[in-house]
Amino acid sequence: MTDFVNENLSLNSDLELPLVQSVAEPLVAILLCTYNGERFLADQLDSLEAQTHQNWVLMVSDDGSKDSTLDILLKYQSKWPQGKMIIRNGPQKGFCQNFLSLACDSEIKADYYAFCDQDDVWLPEKLAVAVQTITSNQNIYVPFIYCGRTTYVTEQLKPCGISPLFVFPPSFRNALVQSIAGGNTMVFNLAAKLLIEKAGPLNVPSHDWWVYQLISGAEGDVFYDPVPYLLYRQHDGALVGGNNSFSAKMERVKMLWQGRFQDWNTQNIVALKEVKHLLVKNYQEILKIFETLRSARLMDRFRLIEVCGLYRQTRRGTFSLFLAILLKKI
């Protein structure tokens, strides 16, 4: 496993994560990435401690924090049982690579895995609901991801909205042009973890969008929960925020016009082509058509999007998709 920040950050650097065979509840490895998160980290750690599903271990990858983040982590590590929290150095290549460094680590062993942001608050039932949903619906040999909505809150945790309710089925055709849920809601099974490991830490814009593309492209199962179990802080320091406000919508229009989505799609396509052997044959063909339509003549672009069957989850999203095609910004 990657070196720890220093010898004192882990109570036992040779510690092997406990396995779940001898206990009633499945083991969940919570994958937390931190970077200068001192303002809200304690709230998140308290919410993890309050989970009704208690069989979990916290794997923390700190990306070079300069504030008191590590001090806060050490404080909680010292009061929790031995092995409950393990802290290590992140790759310092941004939040996406930090999360992928954890998700792709074959030495992190558990039954289920959950991405965790440093400034959210989990409702007590979050892990329990996700684990129950997966265990009730999964084929253990098929990648399965649970994700869902979030409640937007202010820095003081006052509700200020809710993420969009998506009703169309999750699929690779949707994943190519839209990320439907934040990584902070994602819990996945061992089969999904092994698939992510096989793909490796590729250069992609966002770990959650990438995981949605990869799992759906391999014909894994994606479950979208319409009930939120997470308080998602909206503040200037957030790397990624909600998209319900007028200013957020205008910012996305600006990003579309500037070609940001086009750049992200290019990154995703390059990554998907690198691991196309992990995708089912039909979706390999869809990916090829999607790449072709991006540079095709206008008349051909609209025909090819119909052949691909691409779709987004809302009318506004579908309009944005066609606008991007019209402007050749996809």
Side-chain angles (χ1 to χ4, degrees), residues 27-204:
L27 175 67
V28 181
I30 300 174
L31 311 179
L32 169 63
C33 290
T34 59
Y35 177 72
N36 291 344
E38 64 180 5
R39 290 184 65 196
F40 307 114
L41 180 57
D43 287 345
Q44 177 66 297
L45 296 175
D46 287 340
S47 75
L48 300 185
E49 192 172 20
Q51 289 299 295
T52 58
H53 182 101
Q54 278 292 298
N55 191 29
W56 52 265
V57 291
L58 180 61
M59 302 297 303
V60 184
S61 181
D62 185 76
D63 231 14
S65 292
K66 303 298 191 296
D67 62 3
S68 62
T69 292
L70 290 176
D71 293 332
I72 295 170
L73 291 170
L74 285 169
K75 176 183 176 182
Y76 279 80
Q77 186 186 54
S78 66
K79 74 173 184 175
W80 286 353
Q82 181 173 344
K84 195 69 170 176
M85 181 195 299
I86 295 176
I87 309 166
R88 70 187 203 183
N89 289 313
Q92 299 192 36
K93 297 180 180 178
F95 76 96
C96 177
Q97 290 303 310
N98 200 8
F99 277 110
L100 290 180
S101 74
L102 289 171
C104 294
D105 188 340
S106 61
E107 294 188 27
I108 301 177
K109 303 180 189 303
D111 297 295
Y112 303 106
Y113 303 82
F115 288 132
C116 181
D117 288 355
Q118 65 185 4
D119 52 358
D120 298 327
V121 170
W122 289 11
L123 300 186
E125 305 84 7
K126 180 185 187 300
L127 272 187
V129 169
V131 169
Q132 178 60 38
T133 299
I134 299 174
T135 55
S136 299
N137 294 281
Q138 73 173 344
N139 174 336
I140 62 172
Y141 301 105
V142 176
F144 191 110
I145 285 193
Y146 167 97
C147 60
R149 301 177 79 186
T150 60
T151 298
Y152 298 149
V153 296
T154 66
E155 291 188 349
Q156 294 74 37
L157 298 180
K158 294 181 179 179
C160 59
I162 190 169
S163 63
L165 174 62
F166 297 141
V167 296
F168 295 121
S171 76
F172 185 67
R173 290 178 172 85
N174 176 229
L176 278 175
V177 293
Q178 183 178 20
S179 179
I180 63 170
N184 52 3
T185 70
M186 288 183 169
V187 182
F188 46 97
N189 67 359
L190 179 58
K193 171 71 158 53
L194 294 175
L195 182 63
I196 296 168
E197 287 179 21
K198 287 181 180 179
L202 298 174
N203 180 30
V204 291

Side-chain angles (χ1 to χ4, degrees), residues 277-309:
H277 60 286
L278 300 177
L279 311 179
V280 298
K281 186 173 180 57
N282 180 44
Y283 291 150
Q284 290 180 24
E285 293 301 317
I286 295 297
L287 174 63
K288 185 177 180 180
I289 295 171
F290 179 55
E291 183 179 21
T292 300
L293 77 81
R294 299 176 73 223
S295 58
R297 297 179 306 167
L298 181 61
M299 182 185 307
D300 293 333
R301 268 179 270 154
F302 284 101
R303 177 180 61 83
L304 290 172
I305 194 173
E306 185 175 357
V307 173
C308 273

